Amino acid sequence: MKRSTVKELLAFTEINSDVLLKGWVRTRRGNNQVAFIAINDGTIIHSIQVVADLQSFPEELMKRVTTGSSISVTGKLVESMGKGQNVEIQAAEIRILGDSDPEVYPLQKKGHSFEFLRENAHLRFRTNTFGAVFRIRHALAYAIHKYYNDRGFYCLHTPIITASDAEGAGAMFKVTTFDLDGIPRNKEGDVDFTEDFFGRPTNLTVSGQLEGELGALALSSIYTFGPTFRAENSNTPRHVAEFWMIEPEMAFCDITDNMDLAEDFLKYLIRYTLDHCQDDLEFLNKMVDKGLLERLRFVMEHPFERKTYSEAVEILMKADRKFEFQVEWGLDLQAEHERYLVEQHFKRPVILTDYPREIKAFYMKQNDDGKTVRAMDVLFPLIGEIIGGSQREEELDKLQNRMREMKIPEDELWWYLETRKFGTVEHSGFGLGFERLIMFITGMSNIRDVIPFPRTPKSAEF
RNA sequence: UCCUCAGUAGCUCAGUUGGUUAGAGCGGCGGACUGUUAAUCCGUAGGUCGUAGGUUCAAGUCCUACCUGGGGAGCCA
């Protein structure tokens, strides 16, 4: 007989048919006559109840049906006599696939703290919460590819190992094949990278944007979706050293088109999850974050507030509230300022544009006022900045001037500059942190709980 | 990296002004129970009190350092 998944069985309408089920035991209840075994196989958040008449099964077998064990059951799918489920399986045969010693199996029937489950990341997929989170993570990954594919974007795989460290997006992990006990040195005593694998210093990427621009300036619209690495010693619930990022980049596209895309994209992803992950979202709404569904619907149904940095600074200076950090034109906004704008003042997502050039990256399009650049940050409730992007500077001389001012080595980025030399066009793009998106959509408050195996300072188990 | 809180049974925690043999609930194990839903009831085992020093007649409790974790901040996605 072909195995049916729990998802299939719960949707199956042919009562009294014979079925084969395989899965992991979540709980076992019962009395001296009958055992109720909840089986979950991860295909859906719900478990299915297997009913075993104890007279029909040897005691030695039933003793091995413990929380965490894997079993195979054949039997009839029947209407449940009890409350709490519509259907259940009346077991005819039970086989143990894998034992699970209840003395040492870490997961109990009862709920665990997220901290404890993080230390058991290899097993936490077997819990309702993490099953839901990682099914949603998959759905979002798929929806992202679908969204861009349906709109004529091409997925571009930008390199994970990069020779350039000019992007200025934080500390990088070095990539080397040197024996660390005997690193080659030149006559001056410096590390001799000509001896290293690539013949030059290399790092793990902090962004695929610069390479993404090269693709967009030929294919019109591209997006990257890959791992990204930051060696910053950040210890917060919103940072990991290895995370996934989506970076669309569009030629013939200005900052307004860019904002339109960002807003439409985020709303599409929320709608996709609401449409395809109802059970998981309902569980999370009930157990993790009671305001989740309401917040998702609200964000989906209301236009994002669009304001310039300068307007935001004015609002903050007039705010009837004391901030720990002062507000002044030219200073970057602090987390408390962003949260005030999103959660108190506008009470909806906010897109801020036209930031002071001094606090933004070299490649951003310079405005005519000589003071601001066409940057754009999308700010969300609870998690803050979810998207950062800009229109890019496509004029060669302006770009070169800015690079000199900011001491970005032009020779290292000669290939980037050539796109401005040969057929340059207006273009824009942004970066979306995949895990931050998942946090927002699942209501999980720690980024370590939305990536299967988080990498953080002093932590790379599993 | 800075600030702050925490680390006691498998899990979640309590533990008084420092004072005898360190407690509970849940989970595990044994038993009872004819349909359970985090089942219920009875019984039972289980501890190097994060690590290393120090103060004291006496430290889970006070002090110092370190480690690990949570929250806040910075950096950012």
Side-chain angles (χ1 to χ4, degrees):
Chain A
M1 205 187 316
K2 186 176 174 293
R3 165 196 165 225
S4 302
T5 65
V6 173
K7 188 179 184 179
E8 289 163 348
L9 290 173
L10 291 177
F12 198 49
T13 50
E14 289 177 45
I15 296 300
N16 289 326
S17 32
D18 290 312
V19 297
L20 168 62
L21 167 72
K22 295 181 183 183
W24 293 269
V25 175
R26 277 292 176 80
T27 70
R28 168 157 173 212
R29 298 175 292 269
N31 51 43
N32 58 351
Q33 300 286 314
V34 62
F36 302 96
I37 308 159
I39 300 290
N40 186 282
D41 66 1
T43 54
I44 190 172
I45 192 160
H46 307 297
S47 297
I48 193 164
Q49 176 161 284
V50 169
V51 184
D53 186 349
L54 291 183
Q55 288 179 328
S56 312
F57 298 96
E59 197 182 332
E60 283 310 301
L61 175 84
M62 294 309 291
K63 265 192 168 174
R64 295 168 65 194
V65 179
T66 59
T67 301
S69 62
S70 48
I71 68 172
S72 164
V73 179
T74 55
K76 276 199 191 317
L77 185 75
V78 297
E79 282 181 42
S80 178
M81 288 162 63
K83 289 171 187 169
Q85 59 280 319
N86 295 324
V87 294
E88 62 195 17
I89 292 171
Q90 190 67 50
E93 188 191 343
I94 295 176
R95 283 197 303 129
I96 307 291
L97 302 177
D99 290 288
S100 174
D101 183 350
E103 294 270 9
V104 290
Y105 184 62
L107 303 183
Q108 306 171 1
K109 302 175 183 185
K110 221 183 153 181
H112 293 288
S113 67
F114 291 149
E115 288 84 0
F116 173 76
L117 291 171
R118 227 168 272 152
E119 291 169 10
N120 291 277
H122 57 308
L123 295 171
R124 65 179 178 169
F125 301 105
R126 299 187 183 190
T127 65
N128 286 334
T129 299
F130 286 92
V133 166
F134 291 114
R135 279 187 296 270
I136 290 173
R137 185 178 169 112
H138 158 79
L140 283 167
Y142 175 76
I144 286 161
H145 284 296
K146 178 170 166 55
Y147 179 86
Y148 287 118
N149 180 68
D150 290 353
R151 283 157 186 76
F153 284 64
Y154 297 108
C155 178
L156 189 73
H157 292 138
T158 50
I160 289 167
I161 299 173
T162 171
S164 118
D165 64 350
E167 292 149 38
M172 302 175 91
F173 288 103
K174 292 180 174 61
V175 173
T176 180
T177 53
F178 279 153
D179 178 351
L180 297 183
D181 288 329
I183 297 171
R185 303 211 171 247
N186 58 23
K187 285 175 194 163
E188 287 76 36
D190 299 326
V191 175
D192 184 6
F193 283 102
T194 62
E195 295 283 313
D196 204 355
F197 187 89
F198 293 106
R200 58 194 297 176
T202 48
N203 301 294
L204 293 180
T205 183
V206 292
S207 164
Q209 181 202 315
L210 299 188
E211 291 92 347
E213 285 186 47
L214 313 184
L217 294 171
L219 301 169
S220 279
S221 297
I222 64 95
Y223 69 104
T224 73
F225 187 173
T228 311
F229 306 88
R230 302 281 165 88
E232 295 287 353
N233 189 12
S234 296
N235 294 287
T236 86
R238 295 178 305 282
H239 292 85
V240 275
E242 176 185 284
F243 62 101
W244 288 65
M245 191 152 66
I246 300 100
E247 296 179 288
E249 192 73 34
M250 297 80 67
F252 318 111
C253 171
D254 67 13
I255 188 74
T256 306
D257 303 324
N258 205 19
M259 284 191 279
D260 290 344
L261 182 82
E263 182 169 345
D264 184 62
F265 177 45
L266 289 169
K267 287 178 172 174
Y268 174 91
L269 296 175
I270 294 170
R271 176 176 296 282
Y272 186 91
T273 319
L274 285 169
D275 288 347
H276 293 84
C277 306
Q278 294 161 24
D279 291 348
D280 289 326
L281 282 177
E282 273 165 26
F283 176 83
L284 294 168
N285 190 65
K286 193 170 135 203
M287 303 301 288
V288 174
D289 177 356
K290 299 251 190 294
L292 177 63
L293 285 171
E294 193 189 343
R295 192 161 56 248
L296 292 178
R297 291 201 184 97
F298 182 88
V299 167
M300 201 176 63
E301 288 163 3
H302 292 81
F304 294 3
E305 193 70 38
R306 299 185 186 191
K307 286 282 181 284
T308 65
Y309 165 89
S310 301
E311 288 170 321
V313 167
E314 268 185 55
I315 290 166
L316 290 167
M317 293 205 296
K318 284 184 200 155
D320 183 24
R321 207 201 112 151
K322 274 186 187 161
F323 295 110
E324 193 183 336
F325 292 87
Q326 66 163 328
V327 180
E328 187 187 322
W329 200 98
L331 298 180
D332 207 354
L333 300 181
Q334 301 294 315
E336 57 171 343
H337 305 139
E338 296 179 345
R339 292 191 68 155
Y340 173 82
L341 291 171
V342 173
E343 292 165 24
Q344 310 282 310
H345 189 81
F346 292 115
K347 294 191 164 68
R348 65 181 59 183
V350 176
I351 309 181
L352 294 183
T353 56
D354 301 293
Y355 282 74
R357 68 207 288 260
E358 277 70 28
I359 59 173
K360 289 293 181 182
F362 74 93
Y363 49 74
M364 294 189 179
K365 177 72 182 167
Q366 297 165 43
N367 282 319
D368 293 336
D369 63 9
K371 296 190 311 193
T372 59
V373 290
R374 265 171 232 175
M376 124 187 150
D377 282 1
V378 181
L379 310 177
F380 260 33
L382 302 179
I383 54 171
E385 184 183 338
I386 192 168
I387 276 179
S390 69
Q391 186 173 333
R392 319 305 190 190
E393 181 56 79
E394 83 279 14
E395 294 180 58
L396 181 63
D397 55 338
K398 284 190 182 170
L399 182 59
Q400 283 176 317
N401 284 338
R402 194 69 190 128
M403 287 174 79
R404 281 169 204 143
E405 283 171 10
M406 296 178 73
K407 297 197 167 58
I408 309 283
E410 287 173 68
D411 52 341
E412 265 188 43
L413 292 177
W414 64 271
W415 42 270
Y416 184 71
L417 289 166
E418 287 212 346
T419 55
R420 275 67 169 171
K421 226 178 265 179
F422 306 124
T424 191
V425 300
E426 184 174 74
H427 63 290
S428 301
F430 61 79
L432 168 68
F434 189 42
E435 283 75 19
R436 292 204 179 157
L437 171 77
I438 301 168
M439 287 171 75
F440 181 76
I441 288 185
T442 58
M444 299 294 284
S445 54
N446 192 312
I447 198 167
R448 300 172 182 106
D449 297 329
V450 299
I451 187 167
F453 304 105
R455 299 287 176 257
T456 54
K458 303 274 181 279
S459 174
E461 192 71 52
F462 309 108

